[in-house]
Amino acid sequence: MAGRARRTTPLSALGLSEGDAVIVYLQAPKEKMWGLLLSLQAAGIVLRCIDLAAFDDWMRQEARGDEPYLGLTTLFYPMGRVERMEKDETLGPISSYSARFAKEVGRSVQQVLGLEPERE
């Protein structure tokens, strides 16, 4: 289709796709959330997320197989609260939160949440 501009979505323009793990920095009040990106629109973002301060506790709970008392919640944040968002990626020797979770728990976040089949 020569002459036609390729349409990009906000997610693809950022190198993201639905289900990618991200860290979102919020303002008023200040919060940091880790989660799976469900939607990015001009009005705001939808995440299946947990407060970054509770991530390690949730990871240990899943690793031990404890009864769940922590977990991810689906939330909408208006764009006015979003200060920045970054993809949860491993950088050099520093593992991403997703990679740390998979190493500690033995399953990916997506498997724990039932979004991906268990590997045998």
Side-chain angles (χ1 to χ4, degrees):
M1 308 236 165
R4 285 195 177 166
R6 182 182 290 188
R7 242 180 123 189
T8 59
T9 65
L11 289 177
S12 65
L14 294 170
L16 294 168
S17 57
E18 288 182 3
D20 282 349
V22 295
I23 301 166
V24 177
Y25 298 79
L26 301 165
Q27 58 185 347
K30 289 259 186 212
E31 294 179 275
K32 292 180 192 172
M33 306 301 288
W34 177 92
L36 302 178
L37 181 62
L38 301 181
S39 174
L40 173 64
Q41 302 295 323
I45 60 174
V46 179
L47 300 171
R48 189 156 180 200
C49 59
I50 190 167
D51 191 296
L52 192 58
F55 182 89
D56 285 337
D57 292 332
W58 174 60
M59 180 176 61
R60 285 189 291 270
Q61 165 193 288
E62 292 297 329
R64 290 188 306 258
D66 290 350
E67 189 69 31
Y69 66 92
L70 289 172
L72 304 186
T73 306
T74 303
L75 296 168
F76 169 81
Y77 291 107
M79 204 50 79
R81 283 212 54 213
V82 178
E83 189 173 304
R84 78 175 205 227
M85 177 175 64
E86 60 189 54
K87 192 170 183 178
D88 179 32
E89 299 177 295
T90 296
L91 299 171
I94 301 171
S95 295
S96 67
Y97 284 89
S98 300
R100 286 180 42 222
F101 185 94
K103 183 178 179 184
E104 182 80 21
V105 177
R107 299 183 295 156
S108 71
V109 170
Q110 289 80 0
Q111 289 170 326
V112 167
L113 297 176
L115 303 172
E116 189 177 278
E118 298 285 335
R119 295 187 182 122
E120 294 182 22

